[in-house]
């Protein structure tokens, strides 16, 4: 629990004539902060060219300060990949300063938000992102083929994070906190599903004896196939790229002795 005097000091420190509103978000706004939880402070400026970020330490608390605008946050509510984070963050916000009630209006907009209004754009975004992850899949296959662990690990990380976002957007998962992000997406797909198994293996979220760069890379490739199985491409261009990646991965997984097939990688 933040001491009131610290909150006041933060407001005094970061308030300014150009600021129209300030709020706490994250665990300290929700009331579930634990030791080492950072303090998330949002500032809303009248006018700003781009979002600004800063960090400070006060009373042994790490303070993360985000400066944006009300209009920028409103736009985020219209963008699927932004909305999955913004909606819950605004709903949980604890208002500290609100000149003219502009922040309360934004929070009400978040409370009134319905995912159905973004379904078409969410499908298009997920489809395009899945196609664009072709490059990461190629990195994994190239790295594993050449024994280049750096290339394979980088591609695996890109696939893991990218495919998590693809599924979050396609399922309309509103993220409660970044700490629950992976688990929420897994729950949306199915906690005992093959997708969740490969997601855990690719991300190192499941402790497995003998886990290697190769085993995680193979799991990431299987994860791509399982994600594509649940997607309907939004355009012929996306469909062609996704089909090409799927064929490439299937050929790769069946290319050598001991290389697991789709849905069975690195069990």
């Amino acid at each position: 629990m933040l001491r009131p005097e610290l909150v006041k000091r933060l407001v005094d420190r970061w308030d300014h004539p150009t600021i129209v509103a300030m709020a706490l978000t994250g665990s300290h706004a929700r009331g579930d902060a634990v030791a080492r939880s950072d303090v998330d402070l949002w500032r809303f400026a009248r006018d700003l060219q781009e979002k600004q970020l800063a960090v400070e330490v006060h009373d042994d608390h790490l303070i993360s300060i985000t400066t944006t605008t009300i209009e920028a946050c409103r736009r985020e509510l219209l963008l699927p990949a932004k909305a999955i984070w913004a909606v819950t963050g605004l709903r949980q916000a604890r208002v500290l300063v609100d000149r003219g009630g502009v922040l309360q209006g934004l929070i009400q907009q978040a409370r009134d938000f319905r995912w159905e209004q973004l379904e078409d754009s969410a499908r298009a975004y997920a489809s395009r992102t899945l196609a664009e992850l072709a490059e990461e899949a190629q990195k994994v296959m190239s790295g594993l083929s050449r024994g280049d662990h750096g290339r394979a690990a980088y591609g695996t990380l890109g696939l893991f994070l990218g495919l998590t976002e693809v599924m979050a957007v396609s399922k309309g998962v509103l993220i409660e906190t970044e700490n629950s992000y992976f688990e929420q997406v897994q729950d949306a797909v199915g906690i005992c599903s093959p997708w969740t198994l490969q997601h855990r293996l690719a991300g190192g979220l499941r402790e497995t004896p003998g886990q290697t760069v190769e085993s995680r890379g193979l799991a990431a490739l299987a994860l791509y196939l399982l994600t594509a199985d649940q997607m309907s491409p939004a355009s012929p261009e996306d469909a062609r790229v996704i089909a090409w990646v799927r064929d490439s991965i299937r050929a790769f997984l069946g290319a050598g002795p001991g290389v697991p097939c789709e849905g069975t990688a690195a069990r």
Side-chain angles (χ1 to χ4, degrees), residues 36-55:
R36 298 189 183 279
S37 290
D38 64 334
V39 178
D40 296 295
L41 179 66
W42 281 4
R43 304 163 77 228
F44 297 88
R46 284 196 182 88
D47 185 38
L48 196 67
Q49 294 302 310
E50 59 184 38
K51 183 182 287 188
Q52 298 176 359
L53 305 174
V55 291

Side-chain angles (χ1 to χ4, degrees), residues 23 25 38-42 53-56 61-66:
T25 63
D38 64 334
V39 178
D40 296 295
L41 179 66
W42 281 4
L53 305 174
V55 291
E56 291 186 341
H61 288 287
L62 179 66
I63 316 296
S64 299
I65 306 101
T66 301

Side-chain angles (χ1 to χ4, degrees), residues 50-243:
E50 59 184 38
K51 183 182 287 188
Q52 298 176 359
L53 305 174
V55 291
E56 291 186 341
V57 175
H58 290 272
D59 293 356
D60 210 28
H61 288 287
L62 179 66
I63 316 296
S64 299
I65 306 101
T66 301
T67 306
T68 184
T69 66
I70 295 291
E71 284 306 315
C73 284
R74 283 205 179 100
R75 289 193 295 270
E76 288 186 353
L77 297 179
L78 303 176
L79 301 172
K82 299 287 189 182
I84 60 173
W85 295 97
V87 171
T88 305
L90 286 168
R91 288 174 176 175
Q92 296 171 345
R94 174 184 161 193
V95 177
L96 302 177
V97 175
D98 192 8
R99 298 182 173 102
V102 291
L103 181 53
Q104 286 292 359
L106 178 63
I107 291 172
Q108 188 60 52
Q109 187 175 345
R111 288 172 178 162
D112 294 339
F113 175 89
R114 296 294 179 271
W115 184 257
E116 290 77 13
Q117 66 197 44
L118 295 186
E119 282 183 345
D120 289 344
S121 56
R123 177 171 172 262
Y125 179 89
S127 173
R128 175 85 318 238
T129 303
L130 185 60
E132 290 171 350
L133 286 170
E135 183 177 356
E136 305 307 319
Q138 288 288 92
K139 276 189 174 67
V140 174
M141 290 184 282
S142 174
L144 292 181
S145 296
R146 298 162 55 185
D148 186 340
H149 285 185
R151 181 186 295 262
Y154 190 87
T156 296
L157 179 61
L159 277 183
F160 172 75
L161 293 175
L163 293 171
T164 303
E165 182 183 72
V166 165
M167 197 58 77
V169 169
S170 67
K171 297 288 187 181
V173 180
L174 301 182
I175 310 305
E176 296 173 7
T177 163
E178 57 198 9
N179 300 322
S180 68
Y181 177 34
F182 299 146
E183 186 175 345
Q184 281 187 257
V185 177
Q186 291 170 4
D187 283 342
V189 180
I191 202 67
C192 296
S193 67
W195 189 93
T196 292
L197 171 63
Q198 301 305 333
H199 187 255
R200 288 173 173 167
L201 293 172
L205 302 175
R206 176 178 174 181
E207 293 186 6
T208 304
Q211 188 177 79
T212 62
V213 171
E214 181 183 26
S215 67
R216 289 182 63 178
L218 293 173
L221 294 174
L223 188 67
Y224 188 100
L225 294 177
L226 292 165
T227 303
D229 285 346
Q230 298 196 41
M231 297 283 299
S232 176
S235 72
E237 293 79 12
D238 291 351
R240 282 193 291 271
V241 173
I242 293 168

